[in-house]
Amino acid sequence: MFSGSIPALVTPFAADGAIDAAAYRALIDWQIAEGSSALVPCGTTGEAATLSAEEHFGAVRVCVDQVAGRVPVIAGAGSNDTRVAADNLRRARQAGADAALMVPPYYNRPSQEGIFRHFAALAEQTELPIVLYNVPARTVTDILPATLARIVTAFPEIFVAVKDASGAIARVSQHRASCGDRFVQLSGNDDMALAFNAMGGRGCISVSANVAPRLCADLQAACAAGDYAAALALQDRLFPLHDALFSDASPGPVKYALSRVRAGFPTGIRLPMTWPSVESQRMVDAALAHAGLA
């Protein structure tokens, strides 16, 4: 259902702090024109944690409207409260999203049994396909391979993919063995996307694709075609950017990078996130030059 380069979209904020819908629509059109194969509004990079529910699903509606069926829309919808997560799934479906991106409960630190029951409860309340998002560095909760297999086996029509940001590359093979080839694995780390695909992944939900959508799409296309020499050349070109975009708290660096490659792109960011440091900006500048983007 999903493959290729899938940007985890930033959310543009106007000078008054409101979501800049015009800038968002323009960003969406550019992403599609540059070869992105799906879009993720209101994920971590989209500053979902600082959006009200009305803003969050309003942005999803804007994204769905602007996409107009050209690519799938995977709405960020996770919560550490199972009831809120279920309501988010309902809102995402009402907004027209094709799927939802769902983290396991953060902060609560549930057991593996609690993680399974959380997702089982959601599956019983929705028909919207779910992309599991495993990002232990942020949630302090790890969906272990045995638990992921249990979730997918119990509800194969709901849990169709994983965005794996665990950093444990061997899990691609573990998940292939337990969940089968039909289950889609997407890298959650740009710097590991090439190796992830070589082991059986089918794409990347990407921060860098916000800034370099064509290069990221070309890398994914090269992997899909089995041209790993071309993919490696693109990896080398993009790697400094992957690194620089996390040289300060995300999404500060990626918003700075977008202001460099797209004239007039809004520079708003919501506390507690801040504009990147001067040192981070210099790293981004150098990376953009290395990639031939600025």
Side-chain angles (χ1 to χ4, degrees), residues 225-276:
D227 188 350
Y228 279 91
L232 181 59
L234 287 162
Q235 166 79 355
D236 290 344
R237 187 174 170 185
L238 284 165
F239 185 79
L241 183 64
H242 301 332
D243 192 36
L245 293 184
F246 288 90
S247 58
D248 207 336
S250 183
V254 69
K255 283 197 160 182
Y256 170 72
L258 272 166
S259 76
R260 290 288 322 282
V261 302
R262 289 184 62 80
F265 190 83
T267 57
I269 191 165
R270 288 186 174 175
L271 288 171
M273 311 318 294
T274 60
W275 203 238

Side-chain angles (χ1 to χ4, degrees), residues 6-239:
I6 304 172
L9 294 173
V10 303
T11 303
F13 296 120
D16 64 358
I19 295 174
D20 189 330
Y24 202 33
R25 290 178 182 275
L27 177 65
I28 289 163
D29 281 344
W30 181 57
Q31 289 291 336
I32 296 172
E34 292 290 292
S36 299
S37 56
L39 299 175
V40 177
C42 302
T44 306
T45 308
E47 297 175 77
T50 65
L51 299 176
S52 69
E54 290 71 24
E55 288 176 318
H56 185 129
F57 294 102
V60 174
R61 285 192 295 273
V62 169
C63 185
V64 169
D65 179 68
Q66 194 64 26
V67 165
R70 289 176 288 174
V71 298
V73 174
I74 308 167
S79 175
N80 65 330
D81 180 334
T82 306
R83 294 169 300 173
V84 172
D87 190 55
N88 287 348
L89 283 169
R90 179 184 60 80
R91 288 181 177 229
R93 188 175 187 189
Q94 288 176 342
D98 298 287
L101 182 68
M102 307 290 288
V103 293
Y106 44 87
Y107 188 78
N108 311 47
R109 300 183 70 181
S111 66
Q112 295 298 303
E113 181 65 22
I115 293 170
F116 173 78
R117 291 191 184 188
H118 171 80
F119 285 117
L122 298 180
E124 290 166 356
Q125 297 179 64
T126 189
E127 295 179 0
L128 192 67
I130 293 174
V131 178
L132 294 163
Y133 179 15
N134 195 28
V135 56
R138 288 189 180 273
T139 63
V140 200
T141 303
D142 189 2
I143 310 174
L144 295 178
T147 303
L148 185 139
R150 185 182 175 195
I151 293 166
V152 173
T153 300
F155 306 98
E157 301 305 316
I158 298 295
F159 298 102
V160 298
V162 63
K163 175 185 178 182
D164 191 337
S166 68
I169 198 74
R171 289 190 180 183
V172 182
S173 293
Q174 290 176 292
H175 295 157
R176 282 172 60 81
S178 62
C179 300
D181 191 53
R182 180 174 176 271
F183 183 69
V184 174
Q185 297 190 63
L186 303 168
S187 177
N189 298 327
D190 278 295
D191 57 352
M192 295 183 178
L194 175 59
F196 195 95
N197 285 351
M199 292 185 69
R202 297 187 195 171
C204 181
I205 295 182
S206 168
V207 174
S208 295
N210 278 282
V211 182
R214 175 55 63 187
L215 293 178
C216 290
D218 286 350
L219 185 150
Q220 291 297 329
C223 289
D227 188 350
Y228 279 91
L232 181 59
L234 287 162
Q235 166 79 355
D236 290 344
R237 187 174 170 185
L238 284 165
F239 185 79

